[in-house]
Amino acid sequence: MLVEISQIKTNKRVRKNLGDLEPLKDSLRRYGLLNPITLTKDYYLIAGQRRLESARQLGWTTIDAVMVDTKDPVTLLEMELEENTQRNNFTEFELLEGYKQLERLKNPGFWLRIWNAIKAFFKRIFRKR
């Protein structure tokens, strides 16, 4: 659900250093918010501090959020920690393969460009009919 950023409250957080937000802000500009932040029903931030701060710096007034119905401080802290520890980064091999695929998609070979041009030509012809 969309939430007014001005309504969001942050208590004392485990993460003290948000790090460099520029790459995240660039991602938000390009693709939007891919993963919503997490809030309690009374708008306290549980997870997504870097996303929230990046959105604020970009001048966003609303942000997509998931609301959680709990006030138990143990559960809230567990959720904050879980959100920041249960990630599995790509291996170097996976990352390299992903960038190779991206490069092929962005810069297809000569024959693939020809084939795509032929397909586009025939699509235009058949749409006009």
Side-chain angles (χ1 to χ4, degrees):
M1 76 184 280
L2 277 181
V3 173
E4 293 286 329
I5 288 177
S6 61
Q7 293 181 310
I8 299 171
K9 302 165 231 156
T10 54
N11 280 340
K12 185 176 176 186
R13 311 288 301 159
V14 172
R15 183 183 302 278
K16 304 296 183 237
N17 181 355
L18 297 182
D20 181 12
L21 294 178
E22 288 307 313
L24 180 53
K25 291 191 313 191
D26 289 341
S27 176
L28 291 176
R29 277 187 211 101
R30 290 178 75 179
Y31 307 113
L33 184 68
L34 299 176
N35 296 298
I37 64 171
T38 307
L39 305 172
T40 64
K41 296 283 184 189
D42 49 354
Y43 296 92
Y44 281 96
L45 182 69
I46 299 171
Q49 183 179 12
R50 295 183 78 245
R51 286 168 277 161
L52 176 62
E53 184 55 34
S54 294
R56 275 190 181 128
Q57 289 182 20
L58 290 172
W60 292 14
T61 57
T62 60
I63 192 166
D64 195 26
V66 172
M67 304 298 261
V68 176
D69 191 18
T70 185
K71 291 185 182 216
D72 175 44
V74 172
T75 302
L76 294 173
L77 182 56
E78 286 175 341
M79 292 174 77
E80 180 182 348
L81 293 170
E82 189 79 7
E83 209 268 337
N84 285 287
T85 59
Q86 293 304 320
R87 297 181 191 160
N88 189 16
N89 291 332
F90 286 122
T91 65
E92 287 182 25
F93 176 77
E94 291 167 334
L95 196 54
L96 181 61
E97 286 300 308
Y99 279 118
K100 283 181 184 177
Q101 289 177 26
L102 184 59
E103 181 63 26
R104 283 192 298 267
L105 289 171
K106 286 183 172 183
N107 300 300
F110 175 76
W111 293 112
L112 185 56
R113 288 194 310 265
I114 296 293
W115 178 249
N116 287 338
I118 291 169
K119 287 191 322 188
F121 173 77
F122 282 106
K123 280 183 183 178
R124 282 193 303 269
I125 288 175
F126 288 110
R127 274 191 225 158
K128 290 181 182 179
R129 293 181 180 187

